[in-house]
Amino acid sequence: QVQLVESGGGLVQAGGSLRLSCAASGGSFSTYVMGWFRQAPGKEREFVATISLSGNSTYYADSVKGRFTISRDNAKNTVYLEMSSLKLEDTAVYYCAARSPPIQTMLFRSSAEYVYWGQGTQVTVSS
């Protein structure tokens, strides 16, 4: 059992930057693959980024590649999503998610592959 709490969302102008944090408690953070997803109004939940147990491997959706950076600090039980060059279409509720992989090096892109979810944090990009 792990609890995930996102923070750092808010209102930001297009072209600006924002850093989201997801703090984990109640579980062994270093045993979880972590992911970020987002959901805009009227749309399905969308994969954003994922990071391996050690942080050595990452994978990004094409829509955010080069603009977003996922990282983790296992000592602080926290995963981050640094967002830059924000666009209007980045507006969404952002969720972090976690699961223990059967193989340590695995990454997951599908929401169905994650077990634990945070409550989400709203990111609104304005012009």
Side-chain angles (χ1 to χ4, degrees):
Q1 235 277 342
V2 61
Q3 298 177 48
L4 305 174
V5 180
E6 301 95 336
S7 62
L11 178 65
V12 62
Q13 291 186 352
S17 300
L18 205 60
R19 186 177 78 165
L20 306 182
S21 299
C22 175
S25 62
S28 299
F29 181 73
S30 62
T31 69
Y32 296 114
V33 170
M34 300 298 297
W36 284 97
F37 292 79
R38 65 187 184 186
Q39 188 166 18
K43 294 191 175 182
E44 295 296 310
R45 192 181 304 162
E46 175 189 24
F47 168 76
V48 175
T50 185
I51 188 166
S52 61
L53 302 185
S54 66
N56 290 337
S57 298
T58 59
Y59 188 83
Y60 299 90
D62 288 343
S63 59
V64 307
K65 195 174 301 181
R67 300 188 298 119
F68 290 12
T69 300
I70 188 171
S71 62
R72 67 190 296 161
D73 186 339
N74 286 347
K76 296 184 179 295
N77 295 339
T78 302
V79 63
Y80 305 94
L81 185 68
E82 294 181 89
M83 305 180 293
S84 63
S85 301
L86 283 162
K87 306 174 180 179
L88 293 178
E89 50 264 45
D90 294 321
T91 295
V93 177
Y94 283 72
Y95 300 90
C96 67
R99 74 161 288 176
S100 294
I103 300 172
Q104 289 186 337
T105 55
M106 291 182 71
L107 295 174
F108 307 104
R109 309 178 202 172
S110 173
S111 62
E113 296 178 297
Y114 289 86
V115 177
Y116 305 103
W117 293 84
Q119 82 291 343
T121 185
Q122 176 72 49
V123 173
T124 302
V125 183
S126 64
S127 61

